[in-house]
Amino acid sequence: MNIRDELPVLRTLEELADLVRHTSGLHVRWSHGPEADRALVTSRDGLTGVRLPGLSANPLDLEPWWEDRPVELWVARRLYDYSHLPREKGPGVRPWILRGQVKGRGPDNEPLLGDVDPVGWIDEALIKEAAETVDRQGGEWGPMQRDGDEPSKGADDGDRLGNGTG
């Protein structure tokens, strides 16, 4: 049996939020999964092609400034921010949860992880629930990958947020 079959699948925001509440140091990575990444051990900067000293991922730990806002909204946003990656990277790319040792930072200041321990898969239904949760918010939110003509959403100073993780 391989890791793909052994890892639990998180199917709801509530399940993921509960995991984040009780486990620190979790990250989400969008790729072909732990088996494929085991052979890589590194990521590549999409702009320059430079090899990075670990697998790029995004942290799920809550930041202090989030205060007492819902954990479900936090994890929904963390997933929504990079939901464009399967379209960009192609078939088979999906999100999964992992822990690891931070080996450095990538060009978007994302953690680069080594000594990776896979925790679970994110089900497509959870991604859909995350998108619906973000869509219900009052402000103008949008995924971090944006078209050149579209104004940046989610940033308070109009900065362009264009690079994803992977």
Side-chain angles (χ1 to χ4, degrees):
M1 185 167 280
N2 64 29
I3 289 175
R4 179 177 287 274
D5 298 327
E6 295 174 5
L7 287 178
V9 178
L10 299 160
R11 300 185 189 286
T12 67
L13 280 177
E14 184 178 338
E15 286 178 325
L16 180 55
D18 192 52
L19 182 62
V20 167
R21 279 185 198 96
H22 296 95
T23 311
S24 63
L26 296 175
H27 294 76
V28 63
R29 176 167 167 78
W30 298 74
S31 73
H32 288 99
E35 291 285 335
D37 288 348
R38 183 179 296 169
L40 289 177
V41 187
T42 66
S43 295
R44 185 179 297 273
D45 176 25
L47 182 62
T48 65
V50 172
R51 282 264 176 222
L52 305 172
L55 299 176
S56 60
N58 287 101
L60 291 172
D61 289 342
L62 276 80
E63 291 291 332
W65 55 263
W66 190 251
E67 298 173 342
D68 61 351
R69 293 175 181 92
V71 177
E72 289 81 3
L73 182 55
W74 174 263
V75 296
R77 174 150 197 253
R78 300 306 291 160
L79 294 174
Y80 187 82
D81 284 346
Y82 294 98
S83 62
H84 64 280
L85 290 177
R87 290 185 303 277
E88 286 185 8
K89 292 186 171 195
V93 170
R94 61 189 276 208
W96 54 285
I97 305 297
L98 64 155
R99 282 187 292 246
Q101 181 181 359
V102 176
K103 301 288 187 175
R105 294 276 175 180
D108 294 323
N109 202 33
E110 75 279 13
L112 302 171
L113 303 179
D115 304 319
V116 168
D117 179 26
V119 173
W121 289 104
I122 301 278
D123 190 75
E124 183 64 34
L126 200 163
I127 299 301
K128 183 178 178 187
E129 183 183 3
E132 291 168 354
T133 298
V134 169
D135 287 344
R136 283 193 304 269
Q137 300 310 303
E140 291 188 38
W141 291 30
M144 290 185 67
Q145 183 65 37
R146 295 176 177 88
D147 296 334
D149 296 330
E150 184 179 337
S152 179
K153 298 176 186 174
D156 63 359
D157 61 359
D159 286 346
R160 304 290 309 162
L161 303 173
N163 294 324
T165 298

